[in-house]
Amino acid sequence: MPDLISALRLSAPEITLAVGGLVLLMIGAFSGERSTRVVSWLSVLLLLAATAVTVTGPLGQAFNGAYVADPLSVYGKAVIFLSSAVAIILGNGWMHRQKIAKFEYPVLIVLASAGMGMMASSGDLISMYVGIELHSLALYVLAAYHRDDLKASEAGLKYFVLGALSSGLLLYGASLIYGFAGSMRFEDIAAYAATNPSTGLVFGLVFLISGLAFKISAAPFHMWTPDVYEGAPTPVVALFASAPKMAAMVLIARTLEGAFANSHQQWAQVLILISLISFAVGAFGGLVQKDIQRLLAYSSIANIGYALLGIAAGTTLGVEAMLMFMTLYIIDQFGFFGILLSLSRNGRPIRKVQDLAGLRKERPLTTIALTILSLSVLGMPPLSGFWAKYYVFGAAADAGGIMPAVAVAGLVASVVAGFYYLRIIKVMWFDPAPEGTAPTDAAPVEAKTIALTAAAFSFPVVIVALIWLQPLASRAATGFGVS
């Protein structure tokens, strides 16, 4: 009984979300659609409570090592739960304006967050898969949430079909690893791999990485990303661009640095290859995009390539750099999507880059904010995106070997990708609006507030924020215990 109580205390964040999500589901089911706003705000409070439980809770292992609570999981879950709360706030108003608001939207995000928390705390292959599927099933539904929109239905179907394929790859890899190592636990797999390196284990690892790469939309497993980003509701895409990517990156770090720490040379080659392909696909694929959300999809592919460099380095500094990069990247993404959600004409969202023409005259503050965010993601100093890339490229250069050359390739890709960010700035500031263009609608308070806050964080707040954010990431990486 004491062991069970200890295990429940360690897993309190996920239990809080699971039980709270079911309670909110009952409230919505019995109260009907009139409870949508109440359920949304209760979901936000529930995620904030789960964050507090995570940060103040004990550290250790539970359920025979299947669940791990350490500084890395605490940091990851704090970012995941807060990101999910922001996605609910962004979606609440938008769903009502589009007349598709239902109480299931926040409940699905809460349940997905429980799965993402499980991913961040996975200590074996079974808990890893349970976490991935719990969050994936909710995200499949969210992608097709706008049922009357053909593009949303198409996005949900593509995401589901390709997600099932990635789950098959991941399960096949997990079965090979279990077959050779004889255990599901990451600690036992690490001990076996250290003394019994085998080709079968490496094959299993490659399949496992392939399945995980799909979850972060890394090339060449990115096929779903542009279509889902374009077709899914904008608040849902904001969620896709933030919390699930953080959960998957923490899981990849935990799996590779934990279970396969002694096989670094093998899996680092795979990650480097994925990073290089992601650089190229993200940078060159985004050059021809006219839809802003589709452009952000290719931007995310390139940026995940940068984040993977931190893990490929195989050092504590590399994990710290990955955490810093993902945190700063997520804040920029919420700024981008907050601006997209605040821009519309005659009730129709502004989705094309060319539709931003003349924006500086109508919405000068929004134009400044989008300029800051675009320059930040581009990597312009001293904005937050510059510091994000500074950390990952620095960790790659510090790792030695081929990693400095890969970092240089990343810098070149950043220069290429700079074109589509600069094009957004050019259209806003220098292109006149076409004759007869309707004025933009009044910006929703929640979207405008989140967008301006993210832009202010990108510059100048980030300069001060790094003073306390970097030590938190360092403690998370050090507590994880990689070399």
Side-chain angles (χ1 to χ4, degrees):
M1 184 62 73
D3 290 341
L4 177 61
I5 294 174
S6 175
L8 294 177
R9 286 182 61 200
L10 285 170
S11 57
E14 288 76 19
I15 293 174
T16 300
L17 291 176
V19 174
L22 293 177
V23 171
L24 292 174
L25 184 61
M26 292 298 101
I27 293 174
F30 286 104
S31 302
E33 299 306 327
R34 67 179 183 275
S35 65
T36 301
R37 289 190 185 274
V38 173
V39 171
S40 293
W41 287 107
L42 287 177
S43 299
V44 172
L45 293 177
L46 181 63
L47 286 162
L48 294 177
T51 305
V53 171
T54 299
V55 172
T56 59
L59 303 179
Q61 294 187 3
F63 306 111
N64 196 30
Y67 184 94
V68 180
D70 59 8
L72 178 65
S73 68
V74 170
Y75 185 101
K77 284 192 275 192
V79 175
I80 290 164
F81 297 158
L82 292 175
S83 299
S84 298
V86 174
I88 292 175
I89 294 171
L90 281 174
N92 185 29
W94 188 88
M95 298 291 182
H96 279 89
R97 290 190 296 276
Q98 298 295 318
K99 296 181 172 53
I100 58 172
K102 296 183 182 297
F103 70 87
E104 290 93 340
Y105 172 74
V107 174
L108 284 168
I109 292 181
V110 168
L111 296 177
S113 299
M116 289 184 270
M118 192 69 186
M119 289 167 65
S121 288
S122 295
D124 68 9
L125 296 172
I126 293 179
S127 59
M128 173 192 74
Y129 185 71
V130 169
I132 288 174
E133 288 307 299
L134 177 56
H135 102 283
S136 294
L137 290 172
L139 295 187
Y140 298 151
V141 178
L142 286 170
Y145 186 82
H146 196 175
R147 290 176 295 180
D148 296 329
D149 188 323
L150 290 178
K151 282 191 174 182
S153 299
E154 179 187 350
L157 182 61
K158 285 182 177 178
Y159 191 24
F160 174 72
V161 172
L162 294 174
L165 174 63
S166 76
S167 294
L169 291 173
L170 190 143
L171 275 178
Y172 184 62
S175 66
L176 281 175
I177 293 169
Y178 173 68
F180 281 90
S183 176
M184 293 285 187
R185 296 182 62 202
F186 290 164
E187 291 181 354
D188 295 339
I189 295 170
Y192 177 87
T195 56
N196 301 279
S198 66
T199 305
L201 205 60
V202 173
F203 265 96
L205 178 58
V206 170
F207 277 105
L208 192 72
I209 292 174
S210 299
L212 293 173
F214 174 91
K215 302 302 178 184
I216 54 174
S217 64
F221 308 98
H222 66 288
M223 299 79 70
W224 63 275
T225 313
D227 291 333
V228 172
Y229 268 56
E230 182 181 10
T234 303
V236 174
V237 181
L239 175 69
F240 286 173
S242 54
K245 283 186 167 54
M246 184 63 164
M249 290 300 294
V250 171
L251 175 58
I252 290 172
R254 185 177 297 286
T255 304
L256 299 183
E257 302 279 12
F260 295 96
N262 293 298
S263 305
H264 173 254
Q265 285 190 335
Q266 285 80 10
W267 57 257
Q269 295 175 35
V270 179
L271 289 192
I272 288 171
L273 181 61
I274 291 175
S275 294
L276 290 172
I277 298 174
S278 297
F279 295 162
V281 171
F284 291 100
L287 295 178
V288 296
Q289 302 306 317
K290 297 179 180 179
D291 185 280
I292 299 174
Q293 286 185 200
R294 198 173 179 89
L295 185 152
L296 290 175
Y298 283 96
S299 171
S300 75
I301 294 168
N303 279 284
I304 283 299
Y306 305 140
L308 285 174
L309 289 183
I311 300 178
T315 60
T316 300
L317 184 63
V319 175
E320 176 189 334
M322 181 273 291
L323 294 174
M324 289 293 295
F325 182 94
M326 291 304 300
T327 304
L328 298 174
Y329 168 75
I330 285 170
I331 294 172
D332 280 348
Q333 290 302 294
F334 275 124
F336 264 108
F337 285 102
I339 288 175
L340 282 179
L341 289 165
S342 70
L343 292 176
S344 62
R345 288 192 173 96
N346 295 328
R348 296 177 62 85
I350 292 177
R351 292 286 298 271
K352 303 296 182 183
V353 174
Q354 203 55 44
D355 292 340
L356 298 173
L359 192 65
R360 67 179 177 86
K361 292 183 178 179
E362 288 188 79
R363 303 276 287 276
L365 194 59
T366 300
T367 303
I368 293 171
L370 187 51
T371 301
I372 291 173
L373 292 166
S374 297
L375 292 175
S376 176
V377 180
L378 170 61
M380 187 73 69
L383 281 68
S384 61
F386 164 78
W387 296 108
K389 291 180 180 177
Y390 169 80
Y391 282 110
V392 291
F393 291 152
D398 185 70
I402 195 176
M403 291 299 293
V406 180
V408 171
L411 287 171
V412 173
S414 295
V415 173
V416 174
F419 172 81
Y420 48 78
Y421 300 120
L422 294 176
R423 183 178 59 178
I424 291 175
I425 297 171
K426 176 255 184 187
V427 169
M428 289 190 301
W429 287 99
F430 301 110
D431 287 10
E435 289 289 334
T437 301
T440 55
D441 302 329
V445 174
E446 75 282 352
K448 184 177 180 180
T449 302
I450 290 172
L452 295 180
T453 301
F457 181 90
S458 291
F459 184 78
V461 176
V462 68
I463 297 173
V464 178
L466 288 174
I467 297 174
W468 55 265
L469 187 60
Q470 191 271 335
L472 289 177
S474 178
R475 180 172 179 270
T478 304
F480 178 48
V482 294
S483 60

